[in-house]
């Protein structure tokens, strides 16, 4: 199985969420899940470790006990499909009764070229060096928040939950810190 529950909240920050500094495709390894049967977000997050031929694995909804079949496009972990009906093949036209729930992590976690450019410009305007220029192509989201706060002399961030998708009102803590940074800087 390539997707496992994170049952200990202290381990929620361990799987990385790699943010492309150029606004490309995110590599999310800690994710929320959504059940189409009961239309609820599952109570805990999951360690998403990729797929084998597009099949990520199965998870059980902690609310209605339905099996949720998870698939992706077999490479970068920037989105996942969750379906209550067997595995789907994203490369062919499926004949499922219900459309699978697609979770796009670039949208959910607010990572795109425009956001990243605004952050880079904001940090550059307050600092004598372009810190992002010297970084690798991707940076862990928690590290990106810490580096940005340090460069901008931000001592603390609000802890307000920010909802970017009504299906998933609870996001991982480090994603919520990221979103609060973006809101504090008037980027979102």
């Amino acid at each position: 199985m390539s997707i496992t529950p994170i049952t200990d909240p202290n381990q929620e920050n361990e799987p990385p969420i790699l943010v492309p500094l150029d606004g490309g495709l995110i590599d999310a390894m800690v994710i929320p899940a959504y059940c189409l049967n009961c239309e609820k977000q599952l109570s805990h997050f999951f360690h998403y470790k990729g797929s084998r031929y597009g099949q990520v694995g199965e998870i059980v909804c902690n609310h209605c006990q339905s099996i949720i079949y998870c698939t992706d496009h077999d490479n970068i972990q920037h989105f996942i499909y969750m379906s209550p009906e067997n595995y789907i093949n994203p490369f062919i036209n499926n004949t499922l009764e219900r459309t699978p729930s697609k979770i796009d992590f670039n949208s959910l976690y607010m990572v795109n070229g425009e956001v990243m450019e605004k952050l880079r410009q904001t940090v550059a305007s307050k600092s004598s060096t372009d810190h992002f220029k010297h970084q690798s192509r991707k940076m862990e989201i928690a590290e990106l928040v810490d580096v940005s706060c340090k460069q901008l002399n931000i001592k603390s961030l609000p802890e307000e939950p920010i909802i970017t998708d009504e299906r998933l009102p609870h996001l991982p803590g480090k994603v919520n810190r990221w979103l609060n940074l973006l809101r504090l800087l008037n980027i979102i």
Side-chain angles (χ1 to χ4, degrees):
M1 182 182 271
S2 297
I3 189 166
T4 55
I6 301 172
T7 54
D8 181 355
N10 295 323
Q11 294 177 339
E12 176 187 308
N13 288 324
E14 289 178 19
I17 297 173
L18 300 175
V19 175
L21 297 177
D22 63 359
L25 298 176
I26 194 170
D27 215 351
M29 295 175 206
V30 57
I31 65 169
Y34 181 76
C35 178
L36 278 170
N37 281 330
C38 66
E39 298 181 343
K40 293 181 181 175
Q41 178 178 353
L42 277 64
S43 297
H44 42 270
F45 299 110
F46 292 84
H47 186 181
Y48 171 31
K49 299 175 253 180
S51 66
R52 179 98 172 142
Y53 302 109
Q55 295 187 8
V56 176
E58 302 168 6
I59 54 180
V60 177
C61 176
N62 63 294
H63 302 291
C64 70
Q65 308 312 306
S66 296
I67 294 175
I68 302 167
Y69 300 93
C70 303
T71 56
D72 66 12
H73 276 302
D74 196 31
N75 199 352
I76 299 171
Q77 296 165 211
H78 64 284
F79 72 86
I80 193 167
Y81 290 107
M82 296 189 175
S83 173
E85 304 172 50
N86 217 333
Y87 287 106
I88 64 164
N89 183 336
F91 302 106
I92 63 171
N93 190 7
N94 295 284
T95 56
L96 300 173
E97 289 181 26
R98 290 183 273 184
T99 303
S101 182
K102 180 179 179 180
I103 302 172
D104 179 333
F105 300 111
N106 279 77
S107 296
L108 183 67
Y109 295 168
M110 299 293 294
V111 174
N112 60 51
E114 182 181 346
V115 165
M116 297 309 293
E117 181 58 24
K118 286 180 180 178
L119 178 63
R120 189 193 68 70
Q121 288 176 0
T122 302
V123 171
S125 72
K126 309 261 182 179
S127 176
S128 59
T129 61
D130 184 353
H131 186 76
F132 297 106
K133 187 177 185 179
H134 304 293
Q135 295 299 322
S136 62
R137 192 174 174 298
K138 290 189 177 185
M139 184 183 279
E140 212 289 323
I141 199 166
E143 181 185 358
L144 179 57
V145 170
D146 291 343
V147 165
S148 299
C149 286
K150 183 178 179 185
Q151 292 291 313
L152 296 169
N153 201 24
I154 298 172
K155 301 296 183 206
S156 65
L157 290 170
E159 295 181 19
E160 179 181 329
I162 297 175
I163 299 171
T164 58
D165 183 329
E166 293 298 324
R167 298 172 301 169
L168 303 163
H170 183 64
L171 297 176
K174 60 186 172 181
V175 173
N176 208 54
R177 283 189 76 230
W178 163 251
L179 295 172
N180 274 286
L181 173 65
L182 296 179
R183 182 170 283 170
L184 182 72
L185 299 175
N186 294 315
I187 294 174
I188 61 168

